[in-house]
Structure formats: structure tokens, C-alpha cells
């Protein structure tokens, strides 16, 4: 059975220094630190890689984050994989649970998370399944 979780979150992004001889210095790296509220009461820690372009509003990013806390009262951890593209300001974003990444009472978790940013505030809608959720 598909379930939904929703709520808000805050995110802090901290630029990470370029490391000599590793990767391309034109690809930015950020540390992510999130606090989820609502049906998902958890912290998220991760890293993001991003590349901008000479065209305003066009860019791409990928990120991985480990989420730890409770989802509708079930405790555990899971990983989220992000893939985002902006084409001249038009966003396309995919955030999915990494298969078999969940632990604890969230074992078997699968799903997709959508983010909305309005008036500077972040909210999420998480559509998910759990093997024994009822």
C-alpha cells in the first residue's frame, strides 16, 4: 500500500573547498545538513555536486544524503539519491530512496520524495511503501 508523508524542512548548504588534483574545479561541492519536520522527523546529512553554465538559470546537480529518524513513528535510516536539472529556470528534479538502503523499522522502504519551495520555505511530499505497513 502506498503511503504519503508530508511536512517542512530546513537545509544548510556549506561550500566545500576544491582539492588540488581531484576532479574539475568548475564542479562545486556542498555539504548538506537538513532537519525534517512533520510525518518525517529526521536529520539528513549528505553531499552535493553541481555544475553551472554560461546560460542564466541552467545548471545540474546530483546529491546523496543519509536520513536518520522516524517516518510515521517508525525509526531507522535510509539514503536518498537526488538528480536535478534547471533548463533556463525550469526545474526537473528526481529524488528516490536508494534500493535496500533502509535500516531498522524502515527496512524495505521504497519511494520518491518531492520538494516544493514557496516564499523561501521548503516542504516535502514523500510517497513511499513499506513491506509490512498497514
Amino acid at each position: 500500500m502506498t503511503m504519503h508523508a508530508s511536512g517542512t524542512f530546513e537545509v544548510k548548504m556549506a561550500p566545500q573547498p576544491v582539492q588540488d588534483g581531484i576532479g574539475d574545479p568548475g564542479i562545486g561541492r556542498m555539504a548538506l545538513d537538513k532537519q525534517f519536520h512533520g510525518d518525517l522527523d529526521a536529520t539528513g546529512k549528505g553531499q552535493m555536486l553541481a555544475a553551472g553554465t554560461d546560460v542564466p538559470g541552467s545548471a545540474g546537480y546530483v546529491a546523496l544524503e543519509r536520513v536518520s529518524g522516524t517516518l510515521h513513528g517508525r525509526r531507522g535510516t535510509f539514503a536518498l539519491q537526488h538528480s536535478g536539472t534547471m533548463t533556463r529556470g525550469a526545474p526537473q528534479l528526481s529524488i528516490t530512496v536508494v534500493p535496500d538502503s533502509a535500516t531498522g523499522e524502515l527496512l524495505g522502504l521504497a519511494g520518491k520524495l518531492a520538494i516544493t519551495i514557496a516564499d523561501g520555505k521548503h516542504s516535502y511530499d514523500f510517497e513511499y511503501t513499506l513491506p509490512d505497513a498497514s
Side-chain angles (χ1 to χ4, degrees):
M1 177 167 120
T2 300
M3 299 183 68
H4 283 269
S6 61
T8 62
F9 69 95
E10 294 89 38
V11 60
K12 294 178 188 171
M13 297 192 301
Q16 300 300 294
V18 174
Q19 295 178 333
D20 286 337
I22 298 178
D24 183 315
I27 296 176
R29 186 169 60 97
M30 307 282 272
L32 303 174
D33 188 1
K34 291 183 183 175
Q35 183 64 54
F36 293 92
H37 309 283
D39 298 326
L40 175 61
D41 185 18
T43 59
K45 303 259 187 213
Q47 290 192 46
M48 177 176 77
L49 297 174
T53 71
D54 291 337
V55 176
S58 291
Y61 91 91
V62 294
L64 289 169
E65 94 182 91
R66 175 78 58 193
V67 178
S68 178
T70 60
L71 175 60
H72 281 128
R74 293 169 171 250
R75 181 161 298 283
T77 66
F78 58 94
L80 290 174
Q81 179 176 329
H82 302 234
S83 178
T85 305
M86 289 284 287
T87 305
R88 296 178 186 92
Q92 182 180 0
L93 181 60
S94 172
I95 305 172
T96 57
V97 174
V98 174
D100 301 316
S101 66
T103 67
E105 297 172 321
L106 299 176
L107 201 62
L109 177 72
K112 298 184 285 186
L113 188 131
I115 292 175
T116 302
I117 303 171
D119 299 323
K121 297 185 191 273
H122 292 76
S123 61
Y124 66 88
D125 183 65
F126 189 19
E127 182 179 290
Y128 70 94
T129 59
L130 277 168
D132 62 350
S134 52

